[in-house]
């Protein structure tokens, strides 16, 4: 059995169309939406609306962790506009293209920048969306938990720690845990380019110690200090920033 795993697609529909080639199934761990490309400030919903110069300034402020100033800039730009309608229109354009690129079968969960309420409209029959749920693939049980935890960034699908922990607990005994965010381990949470710690899950780390799955697969941290680490019986793997690599991670058994 061969499964390809991707995360942090961020608008890369061209490579997504090829991501399932040679595999029995594709797993996607979320962040389909591209709001703003930190490597190319001309790409994404934000520069489409407000131009590259404003995108440059927003990235500068966020990178410096000046979140209040970044929020103030955004508020000025959005003044007089229907923010929710404009963002949803941009997300819908991206989702139409990205969901059409998924092969059959695909098993997917949400990232922190996704809008789960829209997924039922775009997920085709060959795509199974899971969040706090399990599925058997080739004789192994895979558990999926989507989204991220609360941060000052206030991305669309952030949930409180208790709700996230309940979804992890609901998985029970699984062979593979598939999440968008990593377990709360410093080397797995630190982004070496952004030079900050992203939020990881303590509940996920506890499940790794108690359930002892074969694998914990995740994304979210684009340039991690450590891409993989063994914790007890579990191989923890950041499957990569698919938007930039265009290459899925492969799991075979």
């Amino acid at each position: 059995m061969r499964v390809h795993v991707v995360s942090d697609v961020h608008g890369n529909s061209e490579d997504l169309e090829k991501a399932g080639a040679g595999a029995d199934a594709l797993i996607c761990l979320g962040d389909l939406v591209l709001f703003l490309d930190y490597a190319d400030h001309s790409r994404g919903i934000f520069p489409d609306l407000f131009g590259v110069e404003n995108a440059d300034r927003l990235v500068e402020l966020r990178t410096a962790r000046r979140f209040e100033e970044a929020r103030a800039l955004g508020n000025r730009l959005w003044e007089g506009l229907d923010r929710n309608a404009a963002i949803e229109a941009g997300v819908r354009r991206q989702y139409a293209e990205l969901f059409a690129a998924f092969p059959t079968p695909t098993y997917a969960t949400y990232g922190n920048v996704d809008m789960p309420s829209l997924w039922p409209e775009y997920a085709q029959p060959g795509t199974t969306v899971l969040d706090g749920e399990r599925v058997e693939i080739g004789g192994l049980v895979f558990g999926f938990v989507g989204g991220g935890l609360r941060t000052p960034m206030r991305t669309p699908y952030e949930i409180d720690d208790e709700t996230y922990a309940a979804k992890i607990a609901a998985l029970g005994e699984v062979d593979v845990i598939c999440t968008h965010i990593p377990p709360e381990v410093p080397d797995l949470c630190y982004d070496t380019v952004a030079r900050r710690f992203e939020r990881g899950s303590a509940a996920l780390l506890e499940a790794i110690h108690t359930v002892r799955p074969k694998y914990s697969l995740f994304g979210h941290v684009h340039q991690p200090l450590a891409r993989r680490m063994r914790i007890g019986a579990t191989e923890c793997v950041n499957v990569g920033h698919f938007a930039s690599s265009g290459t899925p991670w492969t799991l075979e058994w």
Side-chain angles (χ1 to χ4, degrees), residues 20-164:
D24 298 293
L26 179 72
I27 288 174
C28 179
L29 303 182
D31 271 10
L32 299 181
V33 172
L34 179 62
F35 186 73
L36 175 57
D37 188 335
Y38 277 56
D40 180 354
H41 302 169
S42 68
R43 297 182 64 243
I45 295 171
F46 186 90
D48 286 349
L49 290 168
F50 302 117
V52 176
E53 185 174 326
N54 283 315
D56 289 342
R57 179 59 176 159
L58 184 67
V59 170
E60 178 186 354
L61 291 171
R62 284 184 171 179
T63 302
R65 303 186 65 80
R66 293 157 61 184
F67 295 119
E68 291 302 322
E69 292 176 67
R71 196 167 294 119
L73 170 64
N75 289 338
R76 288 195 300 272
L77 293 171
W78 284 109
E79 189 173 351
L81 298 175
D82 187 333
R83 179 194 300 236
N84 291 336
I87 290 176
E88 182 174 317
V91 171
R92 285 183 176 277
R93 286 193 296 271
Q94 293 184 11
Y95 276 171
E97 189 173 335
L98 290 159
F99 276 92
F102 278 143
T104 298
T106 291
Y107 302 91
T109 196
Y110 317 114
N112 61 292
V113 303
D114 284 312
M115 297 179 68
S117 62
L118 298 182
W119 280 39
E121 296 183 43
Y122 295 95
Q124 300 179 12
T127 298
T128 302
V129 179
L130 302 133
D131 187 19
E133 299 164 284
R134 300 148 46 108
V135 67
E136 184 178 320
I137 306 173
L140 295 183
V141 178
F142 288 71
F144 289 78
V145 173
L149 298 173
R150 305 284 188 202
T151 72
M153 301 286 280
R154 298 182 184 176
T155 51
Y157 191 47
E158 294 181 353
I159 59 179
D160 61 76
D161 290 50
E162 293 76 17
T163 302
Y164 194 92

Side-chain angles (χ1 to χ4, degrees), residues 2-39:
R2 179 185 177 99
V3 170
H4 289 175
V5 190
V6 301
S7 185
D8 300 272
V9 176
H10 294 302
N12 188 353
S13 58
E14 182 178 350
D15 288 320
L16 189 61
E17 288 181 340
K18 301 174 285 189
D24 298 293
L26 179 72
I27 288 174
C28 179
L29 303 182
D31 271 10
L32 299 181
V33 172
L34 179 62
F35 186 73
L36 175 57
D37 188 335
Y38 277 56

Side-chain angles (χ1 to χ4, degrees), residues 143-208:
F144 289 78
V145 173
L149 298 173
R150 305 284 188 202
T151 72
M153 301 286 280
R154 298 182 184 176
T155 51
Y157 191 47
E158 294 181 353
I159 59 179
D160 61 76
D161 290 50
E162 293 76 17
T163 302
Y164 194 92
K167 289 199 288 187
I168 290 288
L171 299 180
E173 298 291 325
V174 295
D175 298 300
V176 183
I177 296 182
C178 297
T179 57
H180 178 66
I181 62 174
E184 192 179 49
V185 177
D187 285 4
L188 298 176
C189 293
Y190 187 73
D191 190 306
T192 60
V193 174
R195 291 181 296 177
R196 66 169 181 259
F197 287 98
E198 302 289 354
R199 285 211 64 190
S201 169
L204 173 57
L205 180 59
E206 182 180 354
I208 288 169

